[in-house]
Amino acid sequence: MSTESSPEALDETAFDAVLCVVAHPDDIEYGMAAAVAKWTAAGKRVHYYLLTRGEAGIDTMEPVDAAPARADEERASAAVVGVERVEFGDHPDGTIEYGVVLRRDIAAAIRRNRPDLVVTLTHEETFVGGNLNQADHRAVGLATLDATADAGNRWVFPELVADGLEPWKVSGVAVASGSRATHYVDVTGHLEDAIASLEEHRQYNDALPEDFPKPPELLENILGGSARAVADPDVTHALLLEYFAR
Ligand SMILES: [Zn+2]
């Protein structure tokens, strides 16, 4: 495995339960949801854990109104791709702080949900392609990598054990949208699922600038563009991941 060569296919037989950990409603829907649709269709259990309700994401809507609206939109997006369990943390949208509080909340979510695989967004300064990443994504991405270790260690956050959350060891953690993809998930045939999932963010999408690409164009660019890094010509759409075994 090398970042110089093509990414290799992720061994999807190696996991049955997945937890997606991100900062905001819609973070999962910019590509990751295509893989989620594939996995739930195959009988895998996928849960979402979001650190915020995205209350600072709509300029024309007060946070007190945006929080429940966007949480509802995320639940609808999740349902479209077969996900029934969506949990929200109580961190503030826009000002999530990296630190032990964040790591503990994510470790607790991992212990509650007991996934084999955790998937998150990149903590790098830029996304693949060069657009600047966002502060909450950087904090949550890095804390999620750390929390996959914290979740398995009885002596880190012992108060979680006191609350009945026994240690849980994940088998791996994967990072989407970063510049160092090692693996891919073939999501050919799941583009429409991904589009339908993103389209559930109706109030959020409606508030985007007129010239912002619509979900079909956006996801074709992301998933179709990612497939060009894959050596297999039968793969027309792909989710690229940097994968770490735990
Ligand atoms: Zn976000």
Side-chain angles (χ1 to χ4, degrees), residues 52-72:
T52 80
R53 291 171 177 75
E55 67 273 12
I58 302 178
D59 184 57
T60 52
M61 193 183 280
E62 292 286 338
V64 68
D65 298 321
R70 299 203 69 201
D72 283 347

Side-chain angles (χ1 to χ4, degrees), residues 22-27 30 70 93 121 127 134 136-137 204:
V22 296
H24 314 116
D26 86 358
D27 289 351
Y30 287 99
R70 299 203 69 201
D93 182 10
L121 277 186
F127 289 117
Q134 194 259 2
D136 289 351
H137 300 164
Y204 179 78

Side-chain angles (χ1 to χ4, degrees), residues 16 71 85 154 220 226:
D16 291 317
R85 184 156 158 179
R154 169 175 311 281
E220 175 58 40
S226 296

